[in-house]
Amino acid sequence: MACALSAILTVTGFVRAAVFHTPFPETVAVTMALFVIVFSSICLGAILPLILKWIGVDPAHSSTSIQVVMDILGVLLTVAVSTTILDSTLGKSIIASLSMQS
C-alpha cells in the first residue's frame, strides 16, 4: 500500500513540476523526496501504534507523535535526498542518464 500511494503521489508531483517548468534536476530531487517521505510516513503510521501498544502506552497517542516526527523527518529527508541528487557525483550521473533518455 505504501509503495502504491507513494508512486501515485510521485507521478502527480512530477506532472505538477513539469507543468510549471521546474528544471529537471530539481524535479527529480523533489519527486524522489516526495516518494521517500510518503513511504516512510505510511510505514511509521502503521507501526507506531503497534509499538506504543507493545510498550504499554495508549495507541491513540500515536497520531500527534506521527505528526511531529514526520514534520521533522520530512525536512531531513528532503534535504538528504536533494543533496544526494543535486550535489553528489552519483546524483549528477543519474540526472545525466535520465536527461539523455528524454
Side-chain angles (χ1 to χ4, degrees):
M1 186 64 169
C3 285
L5 187 56
S6 297
I8 291 168
L9 289 174
T10 299
V11 169
T12 304
F14 187 85
V15 169
R16 183 200 179 276
V19 166
F20 285 98
H21 304 292
T22 306
F24 186 70
E26 286 86 354
T27 299
V28 172
V30 169
T31 54
M32 292 309 297
L34 178 63
F35 180 87
V36 173
I37 290 168
V38 171
F39 185 83
S40 62
S41 177
I42 292 169
C43 292
L44 185 64
I47 201 161
L48 189 58
L50 301 174
I51 292 171
L52 290 178
K53 185 176 180 181
W54 182 69
I55 62 172
V57 177
D58 184 12
H61 294 293
S62 66
S63 63
T64 54
S65 302
I66 291 170
Q67 290 173 354
V68 172
V69 169
M70 284 314 302
D71 283 346
I72 296 167
L73 193 59
V75 171
L76 293 175
L77 287 172
T78 301
V79 170
V81 170
S82 296
T83 301
T84 301
I85 291 177
L86 297 174
D87 290 339
S88 71
T89 306
L90 173 65
K92 289 178 183 178
S93 66
I94 291 171
I95 295 295
S97 68
L98 289 174
S99 296
M100 298 295 271
Q101 293 176 359
S102 44

